[in-house]
Amino acid sequence: MDEVKEKWSDQEKVRQEKVAQLRARGVDLFPYKFSKTHSVHEIVAQFGSKSREELEAENIRVRVPGRIMTIRRMGRATFFHIANSQARLQAYIREDVVGPESYELFDLFDIGDLVGLEGSLFRTKTGELTVLVEKFLLLAKCFHPLPEKWHGLQDVELRYRRRYLDLIMNAEVAQIFFLRSRLIALIRKFFDDRGYIEVETPMMHPIPGGAAARPFKTFHNALGLELYLRIAPELYLKRLVVGGLEKVYEINRNFRNEGISSEHNPEFTMLEFYEAYSDYYDLMELTEELLVYLADNLLGRRELKYGDEIISLERPFARIKFREALLQYSGLSPARFDQPQEVIAVAKNFSPEKEGLTYGKALDIIFDKCVKPHLVQPTFVLNPPREISPLAKASRDNPEEAERFELIMAGMEIANAFTELNDPVDQRARFEQQAEARKRGDEEAHWLDLDYIQALEYGLPPTGGEGIGIDRLTMLFANRRSIREVILFPLLRPK
């Protein structure tokens, strides 16, 4: 404790002196409960439109908790503001109302303290809705001064490390997460209303599968079993479709042992859904319906402001073939795409860390680097190489292509969908090709999952399946350019 005291700033030492005085007066710094009539935002919402005369006539009494955000002491009267994550409310305490002893006690309260107030509502001469405090209670003492609004919490990484301070100081940050919560609730309603059932599948897999990604490893001591945090729920969800659950969806975490960027966090939230007797054309229609539904209900309009761009969600969304997009945006001539080794060399320049590159993987890298940034408006990119889509059926028009699409918006992949491969013989051959790729150094290649093959042998009906990244979707609807802004506690390197 003495070590801690040495590290206290002058302001923190003053606060500790107040703590000692409060305790000497018998004040409980951390009481068990406060019975409230309203939250701060409820008072603002319910009574914010009432006039001075209406408030006086109705004598509205409240018991409201909040965090002190400002204090303006004026002799025997003090104005201060309390806040929660959704609103701020002024309070007014007078010595002649609460009594000299209580008013003196309030001098020991600081910005950052949590308090409970009891009193009546009125409007000041300037028209501000205010609580005239008759009684007050300390609910939690804040030992540290809060950062200054404009100067004390500018370090972006500090905001993520101490998200609680970010939420206290920046009301707009809390709004991002209220929006995210509403978005997820609306997604659930959308699928529930269409006859889907929500399911939960394992987070630890004996064989990682369902996506091209490196997994995190863990170990189950009792079973002596090496396990992997899931990179995708896909193979388990399709097992459920085999079992007769014709419409399923899951919203949960995936874990991928990959780099961190403005679009990537190793732990992220994914929506995946599967519908029997459908294909990727059906999913394009459903995806458009979903995004329009979200826009209508979250924003009340069918366009998103994202940075300097205005993104229209009016249907239909644009559609372009993967190869056509490469020819249009990559800057490479058509002739160069017919030279596999040259394509691989170009891709290697973009991603020198990638091992065992094939022609298809190289095309995918060039697409990511050269094409995606040009696709701002919602665009379905169709039929990438079959080689990089081992869980998708071959295109019915070209067997070298996959019956798959990615939805790109604002230069980001938002959705990825297949007409699911349901031939167990073909699927095994694809897995074996992926195993060869792993031997060549491709750590993201799929593993051979014989249990999944066996499930397919019992019959997976024609099925469409899709994954949508919740974090990136929230980025679009909240107009945030970094995935860290929409994840409460993004992964950071330890200090």
Side-chain angles (χ1 to χ4, degrees), residues 77-343:
T78 297
F79 282 100
F80 60 103
H81 284 90
I82 62 171
N84 67 2
S85 59
Q86 294 172 271
R88 180 178 287 213
L89 178 65
Q90 183 168 261
Y92 180 47
I93 184 169
R94 289 170 32 182
E95 184 182 72
D96 62 348
V97 173
V98 299
E101 186 176 340
S102 291
Y103 190 74
E104 184 183 343
L105 182 68
F106 190 76
D107 279 342
L108 300 177
F109 287 27
D110 291 300
I111 291 173
D113 290 354
L114 287 159
V115 295
L117 308 179
E118 181 177 344
S120 57
L121 296 178
F122 75 104
R123 285 196 183 278
T124 62
K125 292 178 181 179
T126 60
E128 186 168 356
L129 183 66
T130 305
V131 180
L132 176 59
V133 179
E134 298 170 11
K135 296 179 182 178
F136 60 88
L137 180 70
L138 181 65
L139 301 181
K141 186 64 180 169
C142 180
F143 287 1
H144 306 283
L146 297 182
E148 294 178 54
K149 173 66 175 174
W150 301 114
H151 305 289
L153 205 59
Q154 294 294 303
D155 184 332
V156 173
E157 188 164 298
L158 180 61
R159 288 179 48 226
Y160 302 147
R161 289 188 187 279
R162 300 185 183 177
R163 182 67 88 180
Y164 50 90
L165 284 181
D166 193 22
L167 291 165
I168 290 170
M169 299 306 300
N170 300 314
E172 65 275 12
V173 172
Q175 294 309 308
I176 295 170
F177 296 101
F178 284 118
L179 181 145
R180 179 186 172 115
S181 178
R182 292 197 303 272
L183 182 143
I184 292 172
L186 285 167
I187 288 173
R188 285 194 163 99
K189 185 175 189 323
F190 178 89
F191 284 99
D192 292 346
D193 288 350
R194 284 159 179 77
Y196 283 74
I197 64 165
E198 184 174 8
V199 297
E200 293 181 341
T201 60
M203 304 296 279
M204 295 187 295
H205 295 181
I207 297 174
R214 285 179 293 183
F216 289 96
K217 294 181 181 179
T218 186
F219 191 81
H220 192 290
N221 291 329
L223 295 179
L225 181 64
E226 190 173 72
L227 294 167
Y228 302 86
L229 297 185
R230 80 171 181 198
I231 55 175
E234 177 169 341
L235 302 189
Y236 284 92
L237 290 170
K238 287 193 283 192
R239 286 175 171 97
L240 297 180
V241 181
V242 170
L245 303 184
E246 295 178 357
K247 291 183 173 184
V248 295
Y249 76 94
E250 181 171 8
I251 299 173
N252 221 319
R253 297 296 182 84
N254 291 345
F255 306 86
R256 296 182 184 176
N257 200 346
E258 57 189 21
I260 296 173
S261 74
S262 62
E263 297 177 18
H264 297 88
N265 192 67
E267 177 183 1
F268 62 98
T269 304
M270 181 72 78
L271 159 71
E272 287 212 16
F273 55 95
Y274 293 82
E275 180 172 342
Y277 314 111
S278 67
D279 64 9
Y280 81 149
Y281 291 108
D282 298 312
L283 294 186
M284 281 185 257
E285 296 294 323
L286 190 64
T287 303
E288 290 181 359
E289 287 179 27
L290 172 62
L291 290 180
V292 167
Y293 173 82
L294 292 174
D296 286 348
N297 285 276
L298 283 173
L299 306 177
R301 62 181 187 276
R302 294 186 181 181
E303 61 180 32
L304 307 173
K305 178 171 173 51
Y306 192 70
D308 296 329
E309 302 287 350
I310 299 296
I311 298 174
S312 172
L313 295 178
E314 291 294 344
R315 303 176 66 186
F317 296 172
R319 300 184 184 189
I320 188 171
K321 290 286 191 73
F322 180 86
R323 186 173 179 83
E324 292 171 5
L326 282 170
L327 292 172
Q328 184 172 339
Y329 294 110
S330 70
L332 302 178
S333 67
R336 293 185 73 181
F337 282 109
D338 293 328
Q339 304 295 323
Q341 291 308 312
E342 190 168 344
V343 168

